[in-house]
Amino acid sequence: KLQQQVCQKYGWSADYGSTEDGHWYVDVTIGLGDKRRYSATEKQAKKKAKETVSAIALQELETDIQHEESKPVKELSQVFSAQLTIFDSSDAATWEMFWKN
């Protein structure tokens, strides 16, 4: 859930690894220079460890997730309406306008 439903949605990254003594962790980067490490306290097999550290990270990141969810959502056409132009490639006038710009 952490990588597929949270990190991809918000443009974050999650990198899993383990320490020399066998404890697993996940580093979650949520912004420029904002990397956070969440670690398991017990040694576990790889699959179970990834599930554990993902659950820990999701719990700790709940405030950040809520913040992201509260941001207003707009379509690109709403934000950049003056800059967006639709080109019809089958229309000769479109190509004229395209090559002039």
Side-chain angles (χ1 to χ4, degrees):
K1 180 180 177 181
L2 176 64
Q3 278 186 308
Q4 294 177 351
Q5 295 177 3
V6 177
C7 289
Q8 287 180 3
K9 183 175 182 178
Y10 304 124
W12 300 349
S13 67
D15 298 307
Y16 294 89
S18 62
T19 60
E20 289 180 12
D21 63 354
H23 288 88
W24 280 85
Y25 62 85
V26 61
D27 287 331
V28 180
T29 304
I30 67 170
L32 186 61
D34 191 358
K35 182 185 281 189
R36 304 174 190 183
R37 179 168 285 186
Y38 304 98
S39 303
T41 56
E42 299 176 11
K43 294 179 185 179
Q44 298 174 321
K46 183 178 181 178
K47 183 177 180 178
K48 182 67 176 169
K50 282 186 170 186
E51 292 172 6
T52 301
V53 295
S54 291
I56 293 168
L58 286 170
Q59 184 176 3
E60 294 294 320
L61 291 166
E62 186 59 36
T63 302
D64 298 288
I65 293 168
Q66 288 176 2
H67 174 73
E68 291 295 324
E69 288 293 322
S70 69
K71 291 181 178 178
V73 177
K74 292 185 177 182
E75 295 290 324
L76 283 175
S77 59
Q78 293 173 299
V79 178
F80 299 106
S81 59
Q83 289 87 359
L84 289 180
T85 303
I86 298 173
F87 293 104
D88 179 0
S89 62
S90 64
D91 182 9
T94 294
W95 286 107
E96 273 185 44
M97 186 170 54
F98 175 77
W99 290 113
K100 285 181 183 178
N101 295 327

